[in-house]
């Protein structure tokens, strides 16, 4: 695990994507691996930690996820926005995107999924829960989170800490067409 | 429709929640109506526009949605963060939250769903697609968007315009425990 990355307790894993960041979906099967961007993911359960993510059935990622039964959700920081858009705009069938962009992958602790740490705020290693109908009708894949970790400069003790001094790790939120917003200006809501 | 609110073309509806904002789920059946906060929603299809949202089976909202087959997703601006947290922390079974907080509801154009415009950046009126297994196993409700509208000060011609001068309408993203980030600092990714 890279410097600053620390394991996240599974009961806190849902918080990593609770606020709707754009994620990188990583996968591998046989000799192939891939990384794509996905704006459409969400938690669906706290305990056991479960998530849903939309993975188009025409993508290489979908093929690898179905073959391996596993994938990663890596949460890029703002410093990776250009890379996120790039891997969201090209297919892994046209060549290995890790190699093309010099992305270093580390193996997930439970399933060996390729995970990205450099420039990411966090990752979740996920085991697919087969749901053929949702996968077919809505491209929606459900999964259980089996391991998670985060960069302690922005997420520690189960909480995000979004500050002016860690802007490169702020999560990014795709508005469409390559336009992103950052999650910033964090505040605590008042009790009415 | 309130001043500044304009219809959003259905093919652009997914962009309203593409970036993962926390939403207000509105519903009504018989003499009851309700509004709750939900951090867990996402688009699942562009055309026809379809979305998924997690609505706990123990909530009044779930009961009203199942009875009516419809709900709204209203997207609160930052100026409504305290209200969002409040309606996310109390049950509609303990009294009408619209009345308690002085929330004005307008009737959706297609299904008559109560929708909130004042202080919101946008809304989507949704028709439930019954999926008993996903609803039961993951509290995940799928729906088709049948109408949408947005405040043209922050979303116009199919695009978000997140600027310093419309901060009160910036979407909010729940980090957990009443902590929110705003979507801000918008930028266009470079092509690598």
């Amino acid at each position: 695990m890279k410097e600053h990355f620390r394991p996240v307790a599974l009961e806190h894993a849902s918080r990593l994507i609770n606020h709707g960041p754009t994620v990188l979906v990583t996968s591998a099967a046989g000799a192939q691996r891939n990384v794509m961007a996905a704006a459409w993911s969400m938690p669906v359960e706290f305990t056991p930690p479960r998530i849903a993510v939309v993975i188009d059935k025409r993508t290489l990622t979908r093929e690898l996820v179905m073959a391996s039964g596993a994938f990663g959700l890596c949460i890029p920081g703002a410093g990776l926005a250009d890379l996120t858009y790039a891997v969201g705009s090209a297919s892994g069938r046209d060549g290995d995107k890790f190699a093309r962009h010099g992305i270093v992958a580390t193996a997930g602790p439970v399933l060996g999924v390729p995970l990205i740490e450099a420039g990411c705020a966090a990752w979740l290693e996920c085991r697919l829960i087969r749901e053929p109908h949702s996968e077919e009708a809505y491209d929606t894949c459900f999964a259980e989170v089996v391991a998670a970790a985060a960069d302690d400069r922005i997420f520690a003790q189960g909480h995000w800490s979004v500050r002016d001094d860690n802007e490169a790790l702020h999560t990014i939120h795709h508005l469409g067409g390559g336009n992103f917003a950052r999650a910033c200006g964090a505040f605590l809501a008042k009790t009415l």
Side-chain angles (χ1 to χ4, degrees), chain A residues 72-126:
Chain A
L73 297 184
C74 307
I75 305 174
L80 290 190
D82 298 342
L83 180 70
T84 300
Y85 191 55
V87 301
S89 307
S91 169
R93 294 203 178 90
D94 299 327
D96 183 282
K97 289 188 259 184
F98 290 89
R100 187 188 318 159
H101 296 290
I103 303 168
V104 175
T106 184
V110 178
L111 304 170
V113 170
L115 298 167
I116 301 166
E117 294 185 340
C120 282
W123 54 251
L124 303 87
E125 188 177 32
C126 302

Side-chain angles (χ1 to χ4, degrees), chain A residues 14-175:
Chain A
S14 69
R15 292 192 193 153
L16 297 173
I17 60 167
N18 196 71
H19 62 305
T22 295
V23 300
L24 299 170
V25 183
T26 50
S27 56
Q32 282 190 297
R33 61 183 179 172
N34 201 23
V35 52
M36 63 170 260
W40 299 356
S41 75
M42 64 180 183
V44 301
E45 184 65 78
F46 293 107
T47 309
R50 289 176 168 169
I51 62 93
V53 58
V54 177
I55 304 174
D56 192 304
K57 53 178 71 61
R58 296 164 298 186
T59 61
L60 174 61
T61 293
R62 178 72 170 269
E63 189 181 315
L64 299 180
V65 168
M66 291 300 147
S68 65
F71 59 87
L73 297 184
C74 307
I75 305 174
L80 290 190
D82 298 342
L83 180 70
T84 300
Y85 191 55
V87 301
S89 307
S91 169
R93 294 203 178 90
D94 299 327
D96 183 282
K97 289 188 259 184
F98 290 89
R100 187 188 318 159
H101 296 290
I103 303 168
V104 175
T106 184
V110 178
L111 304 170
V113 170
L115 298 167
I116 301 166
E117 294 185 340
C120 282
W123 54 251
L124 303 87
E125 188 177 32
C126 302
R127 180 185 285 124
L128 181 70
I129 303 170
R130 285 306 313 269
E131 289 289 357
H133 174 67
S134 302
E135 293 161 9
E136 180 59 30
Y138 305 105
D139 284 333
T140 298
C141 301
F142 291 94
E144 182 156 338
V145 181
V146 296
D151 188 309
D152 65 5
R153 291 170 294 184
I154 191 148
F155 187 95
Q157 279 85 48
H159 297 285
W160 286 100
S161 178
V162 177
R163 306 182 309 268
D164 288 346
D165 69 356
N166 57 12
E167 195 171 305
L169 291 174
H170 288 187
T171 57
I172 58 175
H173 300 253
H174 192 219
L175 299 169

